[in-house]
Amino acid sequence: MSTVTLAPVTVQLTASGPETLNTSAKEVPAVDQSTSAQYIRDVEQYSVQGMPTHPVVMVRGQGEFLWDLEGKQYIDFNAGFSSCNQGHCHPKIVEAMMKQCQLLTMPSRSVHVPGYAMFCKRLCELTGYDKVALMNGGAEATDMAIKLARAWGYKVKGIDTDKAMVLTAAENYHGRSLSILSASSDDHYRYNAGPFMPNVGPYCTGEPVRFGVAEDLERAFKKCGPQIAGFMVEPVQGHAGCLPGSDEYLIEIRRLCTKYNVLLIADEIQAGLGRAGSFLSFQTSGIKPDMVVLGKSLSGGTYPISGVVGTDEVMTSLEPGQYGSTFSGNPLACAVGLAALDVIIDNDLPARSAELGEIFQSRLRAIKSPYFDKVTGKGLFVSIYIHETHPQGRVTGKRLAALCLERGLIVNCAGRRLRICPALVIDKEVMLRGVEILEKALEDLPNLEM
Protein backbone atom coordinates (compact mmCIF):
# COMPACT_ATOMS: atom_id res chain seq x y z
CA MET A 1 0.00 0.00 0.00
CA SER A 2 1.35 3.47 -0.87
CA THR A 3 1.76 6.21 1.73
CA VAL A 4 1.90 10.00 1.90
CA THR A 5 3.76 12.17 4.41
CA LEU A 6 2.13 14.93 6.39
CA ALA A 7 4.45 17.84 7.24
CA PRO A 8 4.45 19.25 10.79
CA VAL A 9 1.99 22.07 11.43
CA THR A 10 2.31 24.56 14.27
CA VAL A 11 -0.98 25.41 15.94
CA GLN A 12 -1.59 29.00 17.01
CA LEU A 13 -4.11 29.44 19.81
CA THR A 14 -6.24 32.58 19.83
CA ALA A 15 -9.14 33.78 21.93
CA SER A 16 -11.56 32.42 19.37
CA GLY A 17 -9.86 29.02 19.13
CA PRO A 18 -7.17 27.32 17.03
CA GLU A 19 -6.43 28.86 13.66
CA THR A 20 -4.85 25.69 12.22
CA LEU A 21 -5.14 21.99 12.90
CA ASN A 22 -2.36 20.36 14.89
CA THR A 23 -0.57 17.46 13.15
CA SER A 24 2.88 15.95 13.34
CA ALA A 25 5.08 14.54 10.59
CA LYS A 26 4.10 10.94 9.95
CA GLU A 27 3.25 8.57 7.15
CA VAL A 28 -0.39 7.70 6.67
CA PRO A 29 -2.03 5.32 4.20
CA ALA A 30 -3.06 6.86 0.89
CA VAL A 31 -6.49 6.22 -0.58
CA ASP A 32 -7.25 2.50 -0.63
CA GLN A 33 -7.02 1.16 -4.17
CA SER A 34 -9.23 -1.90 -3.64
CA THR A 35 -11.81 -2.85 -6.23
CA SER A 36 -15.54 -2.95 -5.59
CA ALA A 37 -15.40 -6.73 -5.50
CA GLN A 38 -12.69 -6.66 -2.82
CA TYR A 39 -14.62 -4.23 -0.65
CA ILE A 40 -17.70 -6.43 -0.89
CA ARG A 41 -15.66 -9.54 -0.01
CA ASP A 42 -14.19 -7.74 3.01
CA VAL A 43 -17.65 -6.76 4.23
CA GLU A 44 -18.78 -10.37 3.92
CA GLN A 45 -15.71 -11.56 5.82
CA TYR A 46 -15.39 -8.95 8.56
CA SER A 47 -18.87 -7.50 9.15
CA VAL A 48 -21.87 -9.00 10.91
CA GLN A 49 -24.48 -9.67 8.25
CA GLY A 50 -27.25 -7.10 8.15
CA MET A 51 -29.90 -6.25 5.61
CA PRO A 52 -29.43 -7.36 1.97
CA THR A 53 -27.29 -4.87 0.06
CA HIS A 54 -26.85 -4.05 -3.61
CA PRO A 55 -23.55 -5.29 -5.11
CA VAL A 56 -22.22 -1.76 -5.58
CA VAL A 57 -19.78 0.46 -3.68
CA MET A 58 -20.76 4.12 -3.40
CA VAL A 59 -18.12 6.78 -2.85
CA ARG A 60 -19.88 10.10 -3.42
CA GLY A 61 -23.28 11.68 -3.09
CA GLN A 62 -24.75 15.07 -3.93
CA GLY A 63 -28.40 16.02 -3.79
CA GLU A 64 -30.47 13.26 -5.38
CA PHE A 65 -27.48 11.45 -6.91
CA LEU A 66 -24.92 8.83 -5.88
CA TRP A 67 -21.70 7.78 -7.67
CA ASP A 68 -20.03 4.40 -7.36
CA LEU A 69 -16.35 3.50 -7.21
CA GLU A 70 -16.18 3.24 -11.00
CA GLY A 71 -17.71 6.70 -11.47
CA LYS A 72 -21.21 5.61 -12.54
CA GLN A 73 -24.01 8.00 -11.52
CA TYR A 74 -27.27 6.80 -9.98
CA ILE A 75 -30.58 8.46 -9.18
CA ASP A 76 -31.14 7.65 -5.52
CA PHE A 77 -34.74 6.70 -4.74
CA ASN A 78 -33.73 5.67 -1.23
CA ALA A 79 -32.15 8.77 0.39
CA GLY A 80 -30.69 6.83 3.28
CA PHE A 81 -34.11 5.48 4.26
CA SER A 82 -35.30 9.07 4.72
CA SER A 83 -32.12 10.19 6.50
CA CYS A 84 -31.25 12.51 3.60
CA ASN A 85 -34.47 14.44 3.03
CA GLN A 86 -32.25 17.47 2.36
CA GLY A 87 -30.25 15.52 -0.23
CA HIS A 88 -26.80 13.98 0.08
CA CYS A 89 -24.10 16.25 1.52
CA HIS A 90 -26.17 19.42 1.52
CA PRO A 91 -23.59 22.24 1.40
CA LYS A 92 -25.12 24.25 4.24
CA ILE A 93 -25.12 21.24 6.57
CA VAL A 94 -21.61 20.18 5.55
CA GLU A 95 -20.33 23.73 6.06
CA ALA A 96 -21.82 23.89 9.57
CA MET A 97 -20.29 20.52 10.39
CA MET A 98 -16.81 21.46 9.15
CA LYS A 99 -16.80 24.76 11.02
CA GLN A 100 -17.86 23.16 14.29
CA CYS A 101 -15.33 20.33 13.88
CA GLN A 102 -12.52 22.88 14.21
CA LEU A 103 -13.92 24.54 17.33
CA LEU A 104 -15.42 22.02 19.76
CA THR A 105 -16.97 18.60 19.25
CA MET A 106 -17.30 16.76 22.56
CA PRO A 107 -16.77 18.51 25.92
CA SER A 108 -19.27 16.19 27.74
CA ARG A 109 -22.65 17.11 29.11
CA SER A 110 -21.10 18.18 32.42
CA VAL A 111 -20.73 21.70 30.97
CA HIS A 112 -23.02 23.99 28.99
CA VAL A 113 -22.46 24.80 25.33
CA PRO A 114 -24.36 27.38 23.23
CA GLY A 115 -25.40 24.98 20.46
CA TYR A 116 -27.23 22.64 22.82
CA ALA A 117 -29.44 25.44 24.12
CA MET A 118 -30.05 26.74 20.61
CA PHE A 119 -30.91 23.33 19.16
CA CYS A 120 -33.28 22.37 22.00
CA LYS A 121 -35.07 25.72 21.73
CA ARG A 122 -35.32 25.48 17.95
CA LEU A 123 -36.78 21.96 18.05
CA CYS A 124 -39.36 22.93 20.65
CA GLU A 125 -40.37 26.04 18.76
CA LEU A 126 -40.76 24.21 15.45
CA THR A 127 -42.71 21.27 16.88
CA GLY A 128 -44.78 23.19 19.44
CA TYR A 129 -43.61 21.16 22.42
CA ASP A 130 -42.12 22.16 25.77
CA LYS A 131 -39.00 20.04 26.15
CA VAL A 132 -36.74 17.71 24.20
CA ALA A 133 -34.52 14.77 25.15
CA LEU A 134 -31.77 14.52 22.55
CA MET A 135 -30.39 11.09 21.71
CA ASN A 136 -28.36 9.55 18.86
CA GLY A 137 -30.01 6.75 16.86
CA GLY A 138 -33.71 6.20 16.28
CA ALA A 139 -34.00 3.05 18.39
CA GLU A 140 -32.42 4.90 21.30
CA ALA A 141 -35.06 7.62 20.98
CA THR A 142 -38.02 5.22 20.84
CA ASP A 143 -36.56 3.46 23.87
CA MET A 144 -36.42 6.84 25.61
CA ALA A 145 -40.08 7.47 24.75
CA ILE A 146 -41.05 4.18 26.41
CA LYS A 147 -38.98 5.10 29.46
CA LEU A 148 -40.66 8.51 29.71
CA ALA A 149 -44.12 6.99 29.28
CA ARG A 150 -43.52 4.49 32.07
CA ALA A 151 -42.19 7.19 34.40
CA TRP A 152 -45.24 9.35 33.65
CA GLY A 153 -47.48 6.34 34.26
CA TYR A 154 -46.09 5.81 37.75
CA LYS A 155 -45.68 9.45 38.74
CA VAL A 156 -48.78 11.03 37.20
CA LYS A 157 -51.30 8.33 36.34
CA GLY A 158 -50.60 6.30 39.47
CA ILE A 159 -49.93 2.91 37.88
CA ASP A 160 -48.65 0.32 40.36
CA THR A 161 -44.87 -0.10 40.39
CA ASP A 162 -43.53 -2.29 37.58
CA LYS A 163 -47.00 -2.74 36.05
CA ALA A 164 -46.97 -0.01 33.37
CA MET A 165 -47.70 -1.04 29.80
CA VAL A 166 -46.82 0.68 26.52
CA LEU A 167 -48.88 -0.55 23.59
CA THR A 168 -47.78 -0.49 19.97
CA ALA A 169 -49.47 -1.31 16.67
CA ALA A 170 -48.89 -4.63 14.92
CA GLU A 171 -46.48 -4.62 11.94
CA ASN A 172 -44.65 -1.65 13.42
CA TYR A 173 -41.00 -0.80 13.00
CA HIS A 174 -39.49 1.27 15.80
CA GLY A 175 -35.95 -0.14 15.62
CA ARG A 176 -33.99 -3.31 16.32
CA SER A 177 -32.60 -2.84 19.82
CA LEU A 178 -33.80 -5.36 22.38
CA SER A 179 -36.39 -3.19 24.10
CA ILE A 180 -37.82 -2.08 20.77
CA LEU A 181 -37.96 -5.66 19.49
CA SER A 182 -40.12 -6.31 22.54
CA ALA A 183 -42.59 -3.84 21.00
CA SER A 184 -42.47 -5.57 17.61
CA SER A 185 -44.56 -8.30 16.00
CA ASP A 186 -41.90 -9.13 13.38
CA ASP A 187 -40.94 -12.76 13.95
CA HIS A 188 -37.83 -12.49 11.77
CA TYR A 189 -36.30 -9.61 13.72
CA ARG A 190 -37.34 -11.17 17.04
CA TYR A 191 -35.89 -14.62 16.23
CA ASN A 192 -33.46 -15.81 18.94
CA ALA A 193 -33.56 -12.41 20.67
CA GLY A 194 -35.75 -13.31 23.69
CA PRO A 195 -36.62 -13.10 26.48
CA PHE A 196 -38.26 -9.78 25.77
CA MET A 197 -39.11 -6.81 27.93
CA PRO A 198 -42.57 -7.33 29.49
CA ASN A 199 -45.57 -5.05 29.05
CA VAL A 200 -44.42 -3.58 25.73
CA GLY A 201 -45.94 -4.48 22.37
CA PRO A 202 -49.12 -4.79 20.32
CA TYR A 203 -50.84 -7.32 22.60
CA CYS A 204 -53.10 -6.81 25.59
CA THR A 205 -56.32 -8.69 24.91
CA GLY A 206 -54.69 -11.73 23.33
CA GLU A 207 -55.32 -10.26 19.89
CA PRO A 208 -53.00 -7.75 18.20
CA VAL A 209 -53.76 -4.04 18.09
CA ARG A 210 -53.92 -3.61 14.33
CA PHE A 211 -52.70 -0.42 12.70
CA GLY A 212 -55.56 1.66 11.36
CA VAL A 213 -58.19 -0.15 13.43
CA ALA A 214 -59.20 2.12 16.30
CA GLU A 215 -61.64 -0.48 17.63
CA ASP A 216 -58.70 -2.74 18.54
CA LEU A 217 -57.15 0.05 20.57
CA GLU A 218 -60.37 0.78 22.43
CA ARG A 219 -60.79 -2.91 23.20
CA ALA A 220 -57.29 -2.93 24.72
CA PHE A 221 -57.98 0.23 26.68
CA LYS A 222 -61.20 -1.18 28.09
CA LYS A 223 -59.42 -4.34 29.28
CA CYS A 224 -56.04 -2.95 30.42
CA GLY A 225 -56.55 0.82 30.52
CA PRO A 226 -55.55 1.46 34.14
CA GLN A 227 -52.14 -0.14 33.45
CA ILE A 228 -51.49 1.44 30.05
CA ALA A 229 -49.14 4.41 30.14
CA GLY A 230 -48.75 5.00 26.40
CA PHE A 231 -49.60 3.98 22.86
CA MET A 232 -46.70 4.39 20.42
CA VAL A 233 -47.57 4.43 16.73
CA GLU A 234 -46.12 5.44 13.37
CA PRO A 235 -48.63 7.81 11.72
CA VAL A 236 -47.28 6.33 8.48
CA GLN A 237 -46.02 2.78 8.87
CA GLY A 238 -42.84 2.79 6.78
CA HIS A 239 -41.35 -0.68 7.08
CA ALA A 240 -44.80 -2.24 6.65
CA GLY A 241 -45.20 -0.60 3.25
CA CYS A 242 -45.56 3.19 3.57
CA LEU A 243 -49.09 2.79 4.92
CA PRO A 244 -50.55 6.11 6.09
CA GLY A 245 -53.02 6.12 8.93
CA SER A 246 -56.08 8.07 7.81
CA ASP A 247 -56.77 11.42 9.43
CA GLU A 248 -59.93 9.86 10.85
CA TYR A 249 -57.90 7.08 12.48
CA LEU A 250 -55.41 9.52 13.97
CA ILE A 251 -58.20 11.73 15.32
CA GLU A 252 -59.93 8.72 16.87
CA ILE A 253 -56.83 7.33 18.58
CA ARG A 254 -56.11 10.81 19.96
CA ARG A 255 -59.66 10.87 21.37
CA LEU A 256 -59.29 7.41 22.88
CA CYS A 257 -55.92 8.18 24.46
CA THR A 258 -57.39 11.32 26.04
CA LYS A 259 -60.48 9.44 27.25
CA TYR A 260 -58.49 6.65 28.90
CA ASN A 261 -55.64 8.89 30.13
CA VAL A 262 -53.02 7.23 27.93
CA LEU A 263 -50.10 9.06 26.30
CA LEU A 264 -50.14 9.15 22.51
CA ILE A 265 -46.59 8.78 21.17
CA ALA A 266 -45.99 9.46 17.47
CA ASP A 267 -42.89 7.84 15.93
CA GLU A 268 -41.98 10.32 13.18
CA ILE A 269 -38.43 9.06 12.63
CA GLN A 270 -39.07 8.12 8.99
CA ALA A 271 -42.22 10.00 8.02
CA GLY A 272 -41.44 13.27 9.77
CA LEU A 273 -39.40 16.36 8.90
CA GLY A 274 -41.17 16.89 5.59
CA ARG A 275 -41.03 13.37 4.18
CA ALA A 276 -44.79 12.80 4.06
CA GLY A 277 -45.82 16.27 2.88
CA SER A 278 -46.04 18.15 6.17
CA PHE A 279 -43.41 18.98 8.76
CA LEU A 280 -44.72 16.11 10.90
CA SER A 281 -46.85 13.55 9.14
CA PHE A 282 -49.70 13.57 11.69
CA GLN A 283 -50.26 17.32 11.26
CA THR A 284 -52.69 16.82 8.37
CA SER A 285 -55.15 15.45 10.96
CA GLY A 286 -54.87 18.42 13.31
CA ILE A 287 -54.04 16.27 16.35
CA LYS A 288 -51.23 16.81 18.85
CA PRO A 289 -49.60 13.71 20.39
CA ASP A 290 -48.12 13.89 23.89
CA MET A 291 -44.68 12.89 22.61
CA VAL A 292 -43.05 12.80 19.17
CA VAL A 293 -39.96 10.76 18.29
CA LEU A 294 -37.60 12.26 15.69
CA GLY A 295 -34.44 11.08 13.95
CA LYS A 296 -32.92 10.36 10.52
CA SER A 297 -33.14 13.69 8.63
CA LEU A 298 -32.65 15.61 11.86
CA SER A 299 -29.04 15.69 10.64
CA GLY A 300 -29.55 15.52 6.88
CA GLY A 301 -27.75 12.17 6.87
CA THR A 302 -24.41 13.52 8.12
CA TYR A 303 -24.47 12.52 11.82
CA PRO A 304 -26.60 10.31 14.10
CA ILE A 305 -29.10 12.59 15.86
CA SER A 306 -32.48 11.70 17.34
CA GLY A 307 -34.75 13.03 20.02
CA VAL A 308 -38.06 12.97 21.81
CA VAL A 309 -40.14 16.13 22.15
CA GLY A 310 -43.07 16.32 24.53
CA THR A 311 -45.16 18.24 27.01
CA ASP A 312 -43.80 19.47 30.32
CA GLU A 313 -45.94 17.00 32.26
CA VAL A 314 -44.41 14.03 30.44
CA MET A 315 -40.84 15.23 29.98
CA THR A 316 -40.38 16.11 33.68
CA SER A 317 -41.42 12.64 34.84
CA LEU A 318 -37.86 11.33 35.08
CA GLU A 319 -35.73 12.00 38.12
CA PRO A 320 -32.56 14.09 37.71
CA GLY A 321 -29.80 11.91 36.26
CA GLN A 322 -32.12 9.30 34.76
CA TYR A 323 -31.71 10.89 31.33
CA GLY A 324 -28.28 10.85 29.75
CA SER A 325 -26.33 9.71 26.71
CA THR A 326 -22.63 10.41 26.16
CA PHE A 327 -22.77 11.73 22.61
CA SER A 328 -26.28 13.16 22.57
CA GLY A 329 -26.53 16.88 22.11
CA ASN A 330 -22.80 17.41 21.64
CA PRO A 331 -21.74 20.65 19.90
CA LEU A 332 -21.13 18.94 16.57
CA ALA A 333 -24.54 17.27 16.60
CA CYS A 334 -26.27 20.53 17.52
CA ALA A 335 -24.51 22.55 14.80
CA VAL A 336 -25.48 19.93 12.24
CA GLY A 337 -29.03 19.69 13.56
CA LEU A 338 -29.59 23.44 13.46
CA ALA A 339 -28.38 23.60 9.85
CA ALA A 340 -30.49 20.59 8.87
CA LEU A 341 -33.63 22.20 10.29
CA ASP A 342 -32.81 25.47 8.52
CA VAL A 343 -32.60 23.66 5.18
CA ILE A 344 -36.01 22.04 5.72
CA ILE A 345 -37.69 25.29 6.74
CA ASP A 346 -35.91 27.77 4.46
CA ASN A 347 -36.65 25.62 1.39
CA ASP A 348 -40.14 24.64 2.54
CA LEU A 349 -39.37 20.98 1.92
CA PRO A 350 -42.66 19.75 3.42
CA ALA A 351 -44.63 21.68 0.80
CA ARG A 352 -42.26 20.48 -1.91
CA SER A 353 -42.80 16.89 -0.77
CA ALA A 354 -46.57 17.34 -0.92
CA GLU A 355 -46.42 18.85 -4.41
CA LEU A 356 -43.91 16.40 -5.89
CA GLY A 357 -45.50 13.50 -4.03
CA GLU A 358 -48.79 14.04 -5.81
CA ILE A 359 -47.05 14.11 -9.21
CA PHE A 360 -44.87 11.15 -8.28
CA GLN A 361 -47.68 8.90 -7.11
CA SER A 362 -49.87 9.83 -10.06
CA ARG A 363 -47.07 8.93 -12.49
CA LEU A 364 -46.37 5.64 -10.70
CA ARG A 365 -50.05 4.69 -10.87
CA ALA A 366 -49.94 5.32 -14.63
CA ILE A 367 -47.44 2.48 -15.15
CA LYS A 368 -48.92 0.01 -17.63
CA SER A 369 -47.93 -3.53 -16.78
CA PRO A 370 -49.82 -6.71 -15.89
CA TYR A 371 -47.32 -7.05 -13.05
CA PHE A 372 -47.99 -3.64 -11.52
CA ASP A 373 -50.32 -3.84 -8.52
CA LYS A 374 -50.68 -0.64 -6.48
CA VAL A 375 -49.07 2.40 -4.88
CA THR A 376 -49.27 3.32 -1.19
CA GLY A 377 -47.84 6.28 0.62
CA LYS A 378 -48.02 9.93 1.60
CA GLY A 379 -45.96 12.74 0.11
CA LEU A 380 -42.63 11.37 -1.12
CA PHE A 381 -42.86 8.36 1.21
CA VAL A 382 -44.05 5.68 -1.20
CA SER A 383 -44.19 1.94 -1.85
CA ILE A 384 -45.17 0.20 -5.06
CA TYR A 385 -46.33 -3.40 -5.14
CA ILE A 386 -45.89 -5.80 -8.03
CA HIS A 387 -47.54 -9.11 -8.85
CA GLU A 388 -44.91 -11.87 -8.66
CA THR A 389 -46.96 -14.07 -10.97
CA HIS A 390 -44.65 -14.60 -13.94
CA PRO A 391 -44.78 -18.33 -14.85
CA GLN A 392 -40.97 -18.62 -14.87
CA GLY A 393 -40.61 -16.44 -11.77
CA ARG A 394 -38.83 -13.66 -13.66
CA VAL A 395 -40.84 -10.78 -12.15
CA THR A 396 -39.92 -10.33 -8.50
CA GLY A 397 -39.17 -7.33 -6.35
CA LYS A 398 -35.58 -8.44 -5.98
CA ARG A 399 -35.00 -8.82 -9.73
CA LEU A 400 -36.71 -5.51 -10.45
CA ALA A 401 -34.50 -3.68 -7.97
CA ALA A 402 -31.41 -5.36 -9.47
CA LEU A 403 -32.34 -4.32 -13.00
CA CYS A 404 -33.03 -0.76 -11.88
CA LEU A 405 -29.58 -0.68 -10.25
CA GLU A 406 -27.99 -1.87 -13.49
CA ARG A 407 -29.73 1.01 -15.28
CA GLY A 408 -28.77 3.69 -12.79
CA LEU A 409 -31.61 3.80 -10.25
CA ILE A 410 -31.38 2.88 -6.56
CA VAL A 411 -34.54 1.33 -5.11
CA ASN A 412 -34.96 -1.12 -2.24
CA CYS A 413 -37.22 -4.14 -2.22
CA ALA A 414 -38.96 -6.04 0.56
CA GLY A 415 -40.64 -9.07 -0.92
CA ARG A 416 -42.91 -7.90 -3.75
CA ARG A 417 -42.74 -4.31 -2.58
CA LEU A 418 -40.36 -1.50 -3.53
CA ARG A 419 -40.00 1.31 -1.03
CA ILE A 420 -39.26 4.64 -2.69
CA CYS A 421 -38.27 7.79 -0.83
CA PRO A 422 -36.12 10.17 -2.91
CA ALA A 423 -34.55 13.30 -1.46
CA LEU A 424 -37.08 16.10 -1.06
CA VAL A 425 -34.79 18.38 -3.07
CA ILE A 426 -34.95 16.12 -6.11
CA ASP A 427 -35.50 17.87 -9.43
CA LYS A 428 -38.91 17.06 -10.90
CA GLU A 429 -37.48 15.92 -14.24
CA VAL A 430 -34.90 13.70 -12.52
CA MET A 431 -37.69 12.17 -10.43
CA LEU A 432 -39.76 11.42 -13.54
CA ARG A 433 -36.70 10.00 -15.29
CA GLY A 434 -36.33 7.61 -12.39
CA VAL A 435 -39.93 6.48 -12.83
CA GLU A 436 -39.25 5.90 -16.54
CA ILE A 437 -36.29 3.66 -15.64
CA LEU A 438 -38.51 1.73 -13.23
CA GLU A 439 -41.32 1.40 -15.75
CA LYS A 440 -39.01 0.19 -18.55
CA ALA A 441 -37.32 -2.28 -16.20
CA LEU A 442 -40.69 -3.75 -15.26
CA GLU A 443 -41.58 -3.99 -18.96
CA ASP A 444 -38.30 -5.74 -19.86
CA LEU A 445 -38.02 -8.01 -16.84
CA PRO A 446 -40.23 -10.88 -18.14
CA ASN A 447 -37.93 -11.26 -21.16
CA LEU A 448 -34.61 -11.27 -19.25
CA GLU A 449 -33.02 -14.31 -17.66
CA MET A 450 -30.49 -12.20 -15.68
Side-chain angles (χ1 to χ4, degrees):
M1 179 180 290
S2 60
T3 61
V4 295
T5 301
L6 296 179
V9 176
T10 302
V11 63
Q12 180 181 357
L13 296 176
T14 68
S16 59
E19 292 191 344
T20 58
L21 296 178
N22 183 22
T23 66
S24 57
K26 59 182 179 180
E27 289 190 340
V28 297
V31 176
D32 195 315
Q33 299 299 314
S34 297
T35 64
S36 292
Q38 183 60 56
Y39 284 126
I40 293 170
R41 284 195 298 270
D42 286 350
V43 168
E44 292 171 350
Q45 181 174 350
Y46 297 111
S47 171
V48 174
Q49 185 175 355
M51 65 172 291
T53 45
H54 296 296
V56 63
V57 177
M58 297 300 180
V59 295
R60 187 163 71 91
Q62 190 66 56
E64 64 267 52
F65 297 109
L66 290 171
W67 286 265
D68 68 17
L69 189 64
E70 288 72 41
K72 180 178 176 180
Q73 184 189 70
Y74 300 80
I75 300 170
D76 184 11
F77 268 12
N78 184 26
F81 294 115
S82 296
S83 294
C84 302
N85 287 357
Q86 302 89 334
H88 293 287
C89 300
H90 192 284
K92 181 167 184 175
I93 302 173
V94 171
E95 180 184 15
M97 188 177 206
M98 296 302 291
K99 284 183 177 179
Q100 190 62 47
C101 273
Q102 298 179 67
L103 295 174
L104 180 64
T105 58
M106 184 63 192
S108 92
R109 290 281 291 277
S110 64
V111 296
H112 290 287
V113 293
Y116 182 70
M118 294 164 63
F119 189 36
C120 289
K121 181 180 179 180
R122 181 75 162 142
L123 266 178
C124 289
E125 288 177 343
L126 284 175
T127 59
Y129 287 92
D130 301 317
K131 283 183 169 57
V132 59
L134 291 177
M135 309 302 285
N136 304 289
E140 190 180 1
T142 49
D143 184 90
M144 182 66 179
I146 292 172
K147 184 177 179 179
L148 283 161
R150 284 178 161 184
W152 174 88
Y154 299 131
K155 189 174 182 178
V156 178
K157 187 170 179 176
I159 299 173
D160 291 341
T161 302
D162 294 339
K163 299 296 184 182
M165 301 177 66
V166 175
L167 286 181
T168 58
E171 309 303 325
N172 70 73
Y173 181 82
H174 299 294
R176 273 175 266 192
S177 65
L178 189 56
S179 64
I180 306 308
L181 286 180
S182 303
S184 173
S185 60
D186 191 306
D187 290 336
H188 174 66
Y189 289 148
R190 287 166 59 94
Y191 180 69
N192 277 348
F196 296 102
M197 189 166 72
N199 289 2
V200 177
Y203 299 97
C204 169
T205 64
E207 297 294 327
V209 175
R210 292 168 293 176
F211 178 72
V213 184
E215 293 80 5
D216 286 1
L217 188 63
E218 184 163 28
R219 190 178 305 115
F221 284 175
K222 284 180 177 178
K223 179 178 180 180
C224 309
Q227 288 181 246
I228 300 174
F231 173 54
M232 183 163 65
V233 64
E234 302 157 273
V236 183
Q237 279 198 332
H239 193 270
C242 299
L243 305 174
S246 68
D247 287 346
E248 292 75 17
Y249 170 69
L250 297 177
I251 291 168
E252 180 62 8
I253 64 174
R254 172 68 277 181
R255 185 189 72 81
L256 290 172
C257 285
T258 301
K259 177 181 177 180
Y260 288 92
N261 195 24
V262 172
L263 299 177
L264 177 58
I265 307 163
D267 180 349
E268 289 276 343
I269 292 172
Q270 289 193 76
L273 302 178
R275 169 57 57 187
S278 51
F279 185 69
L280 300 172
S281 70
F282 62 78
Q283 289 176 326
T284 56
S285 69
I287 69 165
K288 184 174 183 179
D290 301 287
M291 282 190 279
V292 179
V293 188
L294 300 168
K296 292 192 181 292
S297 281
L298 205 49
S299 74
T302 61
Y303 197 87
I305 306 174
S306 64
V308 183
V309 294
T311 62
D312 261 323
E313 181 179 89
V314 177
M315 304 301 283
T316 57
S317 297
L318 295 178
E319 299 300 314
Q322 287 187 310
Y323 158 59
S325 178
T326 299
F327 278 90
S328 68
N330 67 66
L332 182 58
C334 292
V336 166
L338 283 165
L341 290 173
D342 283 347
V343 172
I344 293 171
I345 300 303
D346 293 348
N347 296 278
D348 201 0
L349 294 187
R352 182 173 174 78
S353 175
E355 179 184 352
L356 287 181
E358 187 174 335
I359 297 168
F360 192 45
Q361 293 190 45
S362 176
R363 176 64 182 86
L364 287 169
R365 290 189 176 95
I367 290 176
K368 302 298 182 184
S369 168
Y371 301 104
F372 178 81
D373 183 8
K374 63 180 179 179
V375 177
T376 58
K378 191 174 185 180
L380 281 174
F381 196 30
V382 177
S383 284
I384 70 166
Y385 293 72
I386 63 171
H387 296 296
E388 295 185 330
T389 54
H390 188 272
Q392 281 79 48
R394 291 182 178 179
V395 180
T396 66
K398 183 177 180 179
R399 280 169 54 88
L400 180 56
L403 185 56
C404 286
L405 178 76
E406 184 180 307
R407 295 178 177 183
L409 177 68
I410 301 287
V411 292
N412 277 81
C413 79
R416 71 182 190 97
R417 182 178 73 244
L418 299 185
R419 182 165 59 169
I420 304 174
C421 45
L424 307 187
V425 298
I426 191 169
D427 179 79
K428 175 185 171 183
E429 297 308 315
V430 173
M431 178 184 77
L432 294 176
R433 188 162 78 245
V435 177
E436 290 173 1
I437 293 171
L438 178 62
E439 182 176 40
K440 188 65 167 65
L442 186 57
E443 177 187 333
D444 293 344
L445 201 56
N447 303 314
L448 298 176
E449 293 187 5
M450 293 179 66

